[in-house]
Amino acid sequence: MSIPVFSLPTPATEVPRLPAGTTAVVYCEGQFGEQDGKTANGLVRHSEKYEILSVIDGRHAGVDAGFLLDGTANGIPVVGSLSEGISAAGYVPDYLIFGMAPSDGLLSDAQRTALLDGIARGMHLINGLHEFLNDDAEFVAASLRAGVTITDVRRPADKKDLHQFSGRIFDVTCPRIAVLGTDGAIGKRTTATLLVEALNAQGITAVLVGTGQTTIIQGGKYGVALDALVPQFCSGELENQVVAAWEGEDPDVIVIEGQGALSHPAYLTSAYILRGSRPAGVIVQHAPRRAVRGDFPMMAMPTVASEIALIEAFADTTVIGVTINHELMTDAEVGEMIEEYERELGLPATDPLTRPLDRLVDMVLEAFPALSSPGA
């Protein structure tokens, strides 16, 4: 099966048109389709806020971004440079989005040059790193000269405006489901997004609460970048977003995006997710063929069974299913692994990207049968 190659420019006919002033190019040089390119990967799959015109990664220039990720073309080309992205669009897009999420959260010299080039061309900059570019004199000066804005997505509110845990989560009467996992960049956000879409499609009002910068960039209405907060406020800020989603939407179910893994020593935000949102159910995302933790090759991956045991020991919750990240797996292997997990763990299992989404919905309805009658 060959990868579609574009004769640029190519109209993104399968991408929904968003309001004027929201067009964007995503910079992901050397990382698109990889773990550290998860922001770009997510934006190609789903974006409510920006119309993604192209992705910059010279390794894959000329191919279709959707096909490269999921085997289905979506009309978003991968280009070799910002100049090519502008040429493909036929004009200078409104935004340049930094599409990578390296573990150190910092810019390299080459990345600085690329982002400053976008600013000089008159593009607003969206930055999801821990490095706040509004605090960088070079970037501030460049943005003032060009008359554009820089948005540091991970910058938290002033401490006086942050929330500590209050117990208001006990007032939320609808089920909360957290999508956790066994590693970072393993597909938790994608599974959570697909679950919300699938539930709503069946008439079950579901709302997503994001916990990372990518969901916020995608346009999620409720969310907070947990890993940018002082730990004292993590549970309370997430609780506040869940309560806001419940009060604002009156949903049948709230789905919370996971971060890292409860077992991961470098990413402990799963603990705050479990404490702050107090989910009644958890879905665990796992990559069966991933041998070591992403960005941490000295650490072997946990088993899905050990992660389930840890989650249920740590919090008053129940794991209701397992979802598979099919990296390095054939379709037949995915099917075999689904059967193995269901047999050995006694839980429903599926791959949301290669299997019908009805299976993901059934996983939730089996655990929460009252949701079969929305509004009950």
Side-chain angles (χ1 to χ4, degrees), residues 26-42 57 59 69 98-106 111 128-129 154 183-186 189 213-214 267 290 293-297 327:
V26 181
Y27 177 81
C28 196
E29 183 57 49
Q31 293 296 328
F32 183 57
E34 308 293 337
Q35 292 181 36
D36 283 356
K38 65 179 184 179
T39 297
N41 303 343
D57 187 345
R59 301 175 310 155
L69 285 181
F98 188 78
M100 290 175 271
S103 59
D104 62 7
L106 303 175
Q111 291 164 356
L129 296 174
R154 263 185 169 130
D183 195 11
I186 205 167
R189 184 195 65 255
Q213 75 279 7
T214 301
Y267 304 131
R290 189 178 294 189
R293 309 261 197 180
D295 294 328
F296 295 86
E327 62 186 37

Side-chain angles (χ1 to χ4, degrees), residues 158-239:
D158 291 338
K159 289 185 176 61
K160 64 180 177 61
D161 297 320
L162 295 176
H163 300 81
Q164 293 186 356
F165 185 81
S166 67
R168 295 174 66 208
I169 193 67
F170 298 113
D171 296 329
V172 178
T173 57
C174 73
R176 281 90 64 200
I177 300 171
V179 181
L180 305 184
T182 54
D183 195 11
I186 205 167
K188 300 180 289 292
R189 184 195 65 255
T190 297
T191 292
T193 300
L194 291 173
L195 175 57
V196 168
E197 292 177 351
L199 288 169
N200 280 303
Q202 292 201 16
I204 300 168
T205 304
V207 177
L208 176 65
V209 174
T211 55
Q213 75 279 7
T214 301
T215 304
I216 295 171
I217 295 172
Q218 287 174 318
K221 187 175 180 180
Y222 302 97
V224 58
L226 283 181
D227 63 0
L229 294 174
V230 174
Q232 183 175 1
F233 298 106
C234 286
S235 294
E237 278 295 293
L238 180 56
E239 176 193 44

Side-chain angles (χ1 to χ4, degrees), residues 6 8 10 12 52-56 60 62-65 74-79 88:
F6 286 92
L8 300 177
T10 300
I52 307 303
L53 301 183
S54 61
V55 177
I56 300 170
H60 303 297
V63 307
D64 181 281
N74 64 3
I76 301 175
V78 182
V79 296

Side-chain angles (χ1 to χ4, degrees), residues 31 33-38 41 45 69 101 103 180-191 258-261 263-264 267 284-307 323-330 333-334 337 341 351 353:
Q31 293 296 328
E34 308 293 337
Q35 292 181 36
D36 283 356
K38 65 179 184 179
N41 303 343
R45 289 181 171 129
L69 285 181
S103 59
L180 305 184
T182 54
D183 195 11
I186 205 167
K188 300 180 289 292
R189 184 195 65 255
T190 297
T191 292
Q259 292 293 316
S263 62
H264 202 308
Y267 304 131
V284 176
Q285 179 99 2
H286 183 60
R289 294 293 182 263
R290 189 178 294 189
V292 296
R293 309 261 197 180
D295 294 328
F296 295 86
M298 78 296 292
M299 297 171 53
M301 283 284 289
T303 65
V304 67
S306 68
E307 196 73 26
T323 47
I324 291 173
N325 177 323
H326 60 258
E327 62 186 37
L328 306 177
M329 300 177 72
T330 66
E333 289 172 335
V334 171
M337 193 60 65
Y341 285 158
D351 175 359
L353 286 175

Side-chain angles (χ1 to χ4, degrees), residues 84-124:
E84 289 183 20
I86 292 171
S87 176
Y91 57 91
V92 177
D94 304 298
Y95 291 89
L96 179 60
I97 302 174
F98 188 78
M100 290 175 271
S103 59
D104 62 7
L106 303 175
L107 286 177
S108 69
D109 289 343
Q111 291 164 356
R112 287 181 65 90
T113 299
L115 297 185
L116 287 166
D117 178 41
I119 289 175
R121 294 172 183 267
M123 300 175 73
H124 301 283

